[in-house]
C-alpha cells in the first residue's frame, strides 16, 4: 500500500530482541497487512469525490471556532481503533442504560463526536449511503494533525461501520495508570510495536489533560516502602509545579500534556519524557523500558540530529498503521445513515 507524507524521511529503531516476540510481530503484521490491502487511498474518488475535502472543511471550521477540538479528534480515532478495531463503534449512543461502548469510563472526556456527525450529515446529502463513519473518524484525525501543524499524509479508506457496541469492550483501552508492560501488551494485541507505542503517545504533543487523570500520580501513588503519596519518579520542582495546578480533589482543571509546547506539533513531548517532565503516568512509563527508551531517544536528539523530519514521517506512518486495526471492509458491517446509531 503506497502512502505519502509531505515531510520526507524515516528513522531506524532497534527491533524486538526476543525471537518469540519477533515471531509474534510477524504474524500480527501479516494479519494487519490483509486488512490494509482492502483499504486504498482515494477509495471515494469516484463514488463520492468530495468526501475528503468535505471532512477537511468541517474539521477546519470546528478548529477555527475551538482549537482544542483538534487534539480531541485525534484522541477519538485512538479510542475507536483500540476497541474492536477502527469501525466507528465508539460513536454509537447508548439507549439510556449505559451499555454502549462510549459509556465506559475509559472514554471519559471524549469529544468530537458531534463533529463527525456533522460531516456525516453533509456527506449523506452529497452521496447517500456511501461514506462510512469509521472513515470520517480516520480522515478527521488526519486533518486535525495537519491543522495543528503536524504532517499532511494520505489515509487509505474503504472501512465500513461495525454493528456492535458493548460497554465492557472498552476495558481493553490503554490507561494513564498502565505500566510499560501493560502498554506494550495492549499495543501488541493490536499488531503495533514499541515504536508505534512511542509515536502514537507522542500525539500528546498537542492537547490537554484534566487533573482527574493526575490525582493518583500526585497524591495516591503506591510507594516502594508502603503507603501512598506522590510518584517518586517526578522531579521535585516539576512535582511542585503539577501540584500547584492540580490540587487534591480537583478533577476539572486542565493543563498541557506537553510542558512548554502544548500548542505546537513537535517532538518536544519526547524530550520532556526523557527529562522526567511527562505529565501523565503512561507517558512517563515510556522511559522505563530499554526498547521504548531507545525509540524516545531516537527522536529526542540523543541518537540522531535529524529527528524533526523523521518524527513527522514516522508519526504519519504510525497513524496509518493504527487506522488499519481490525477494519471492517467489503460486504461486512454497514455504512450507517447516522453515526450515532445502527441502521
Amino acid at each position: 500500500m503506497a502512502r505519502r507524507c509531505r515531510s520526507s524521511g524515516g528513522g531506524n529503531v532497534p527491533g524486538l530482541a526476543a525471537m518469540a516476540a519477533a515471531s509474534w510481530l510477524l504474524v500480527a503484521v501479516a494479519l494487519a497487512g490483509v486488512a490494509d490491502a482492502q483499504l486504498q487511498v482515494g477509495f471515494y474518488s469516484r463514488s463520492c469525490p468530495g468526501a475528503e475535502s468535505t471532512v477537511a472543511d468541517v474539521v477546519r471550521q470546528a478548529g477555527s471556532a475551538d482549537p482544542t477540538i483538534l487534539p480531541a479528534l485525534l484522541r477519538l480515532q485512538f479510542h475507536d481503533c483500540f476497541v474492536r478495531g477502527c469501525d466507528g463503534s465508539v460513536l454509537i449512543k447508548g439507549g439510556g442504560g449505559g451499555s454502549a461502548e462510549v459509556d465506559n469510563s475509559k472514554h471519559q472526556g471524549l469529544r468530537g463526536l458531534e463533529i463527525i456527525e456533522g460531516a456525516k450529515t453533509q456527506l449523506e446529502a452529497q452521496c447517500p449511503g456511501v461514506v462510512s463513519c469509521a472513515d470520517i473518524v480516520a480522515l478527521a484525525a488526519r486533518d486535525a494533525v495537519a491543522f495543528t501543524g503536524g504532517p499532511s499524509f494520505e489515509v487509505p479508506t474503504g472501512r465500513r461501520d461495525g454493528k456492535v457496541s458493548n460497554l465492557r469492550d472498552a476495558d481493553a483501552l490503554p490507561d494513564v495508570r498502565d505500566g510499560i508492560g501493560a502498554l506494550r501488551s495492549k499495543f501488541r494485541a493490536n499488531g503495533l510495536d514499541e515504536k508505534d507505542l512511542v509515536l502514537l503517545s507522542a500525539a500528546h504533543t498537542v492537547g490537554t489533560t484534566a487533573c482527574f487523570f493526575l490525582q493518583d500520580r500526585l497524591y495516591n501513588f503506591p510507594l516502594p516502602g508502603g503507603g501512598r503519596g506522590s510518584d517518586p519518579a517526578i522531579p521535585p520542582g516539576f512535582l511542585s509545579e503539577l501540584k500547584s495546578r492540580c490540587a487534591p480533589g480537583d478533577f476539572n482543571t486542565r493543563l498541557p500534556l506537553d510542558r512548554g509546547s502544548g500548542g505546537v506539533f513537535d517532538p518536544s513531548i519526547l524530550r520532556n519524557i526523557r527529562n522526567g517532565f511527562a505529565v501523565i503516568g503512561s507517558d512517563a512509563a515510556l522511559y522505563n523500558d530499554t526498547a521504548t527508551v531507545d525509540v524516545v531517544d531516537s527522536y529526542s536528539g540523543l541518537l540522531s540530529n535529524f529527528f524533526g523530519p523523521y518524527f513527522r514521517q514516522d508519526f504519519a506512518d504510525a497513524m496509518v498503521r493504527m487506522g488499519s486495526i481490525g477494519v471492517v471492509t467489503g460486504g461486512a458491517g454497514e455504512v450507517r445513515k447516522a453515526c450515532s446509531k445502527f441502521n
Side-chain angles (χ1 to χ4, degrees):
M1 176 66 62
R3 51 184 179 263
R4 175 178 53 83
C5 173
R6 292 176 196 145
S7 289
S8 60
N12 295 317
V13 200
L16 298 175
M19 184 172 295
S23 299
W24 185 96
L25 184 59
L26 287 174
V27 173
V29 169
L31 291 174
V34 172
D36 189 61
Q38 299 178 62
L39 302 177
Q40 64 184 54
V41 173
F43 181 84
Y44 298 110
S45 59
R46 293 186 179 181
S47 58
C48 192
E52 296 200 18
S53 60
T54 296
V55 174
D57 287 344
V58 170
V59 172
R60 183 183 295 105
Q61 291 170 15
S64 296
D66 176 13
T68 68
I69 201 64
L70 298 175
L73 288 169
L74 180 53
R75 181 185 181 221
L76 181 62
Q77 190 193 15
F78 181 90
H79 280 244
D80 183 34
C81 291
F82 268 71
V83 183
R84 302 191 64 87
C86 310
D87 67 348
S89 57
V90 73
L91 305 173
I92 296 294
K93 288 184 178 179
S99 60
E101 176 190 321
V102 73
D103 296 319
N104 192 297
S105 61
K106 289 286 190 76
H107 290 308
Q108 186 163 358
L110 202 63
R111 300 171 57 215
L113 285 75
E114 75 285 356
I115 308 302
I116 304 302
E117 197 70 75
K120 177 63 172 174
T121 298
Q122 291 192 30
L123 289 171
E124 282 298 297
Q126 296 175 28
C127 320
V130 174
V131 183
S132 70
C133 299
D135 273 343
I136 296 173
V137 169
L139 292 169
R142 182 270 305 273
D143 295 333
V145 169
F147 296 151
T148 57
S152 298
F153 55 97
E154 293 176 330
V155 170
T157 45
R159 300 165 188 81
R160 286 171 65 85
D161 298 320
K163 301 174 73 173
V164 177
S165 177
N166 291 326
L167 176 73
R168 296 271 64 91
D169 287 342
D171 290 344
L173 272 170
D175 189 274
V176 293
R177 292 178 292 269
D178 284 343
I180 189 61
L183 291 170
R184 290 177 67 180
S185 177
K186 290 176 180 180
F187 271 68
R188 285 179 180 177
N190 287 291
L192 301 174
D193 63 12
E194 286 85 352
K195 183 177 180 180
D196 295 311
L197 168 57
V198 171
L199 287 165
L200 294 173
S201 297
H204 294 159
T205 183
V206 289
T208 61
T209 187
C211 286
F212 172 84
F213 296 106
L214 276 75
Q215 290 294 312
D216 283 350
R217 190 175 189 221
L218 297 181
Y219 304 107
N220 196 35
F221 191 88
L223 301 175
R228 292 184 175 264
S230 301
D231 181 354
I234 305 175
F238 187 45
L239 178 62
S240 297
E241 179 183 326
L242 291 175
K243 285 187 170 182
S244 71
R245 301 286 299 275
C246 295
D250 177 0
F251 297 152
N252 298 319
T253 299
R254 303 193 70 86
L255 64 161
L257 284 160
D258 188 4
R259 180 178 183 260
S261 183
V264 180
F265 190 99
D266 58 26
S268 68
I269 180 68
L270 299 177
R271 292 193 290 273
N272 276 332
I273 290 171
R274 182 192 70 195
N275 294 328
F277 298 129
V279 173
I280 56 175
S282 55
D283 282 353
L286 298 179
Y287 221 65
N288 291 338
D289 181 270
T290 302
T292 48
V293 165
D294 286 347
V295 183
V296 171
D297 287 349
S298 73
Y299 298 111
S300 303
L302 291 184
L303 301 183
S304 171
N305 292 321
F306 306 102
F307 58 80
Y310 292 130
F311 170 72
R312 293 169 69 85
Q313 175 68 59
D314 291 350
F315 178 84
D317 290 344
M319 286 289 292
V320 171
R321 284 191 293 273
M322 181 182 72
S324 300
I325 296 173
V327 293
V328 181
T329 57
E334 63 183 12
V335 175
R336 293 182 207 141
K337 298 175 182 177
C339 294
S340 61
K341 59 184 179 180
F342 301 120
N343 290 345

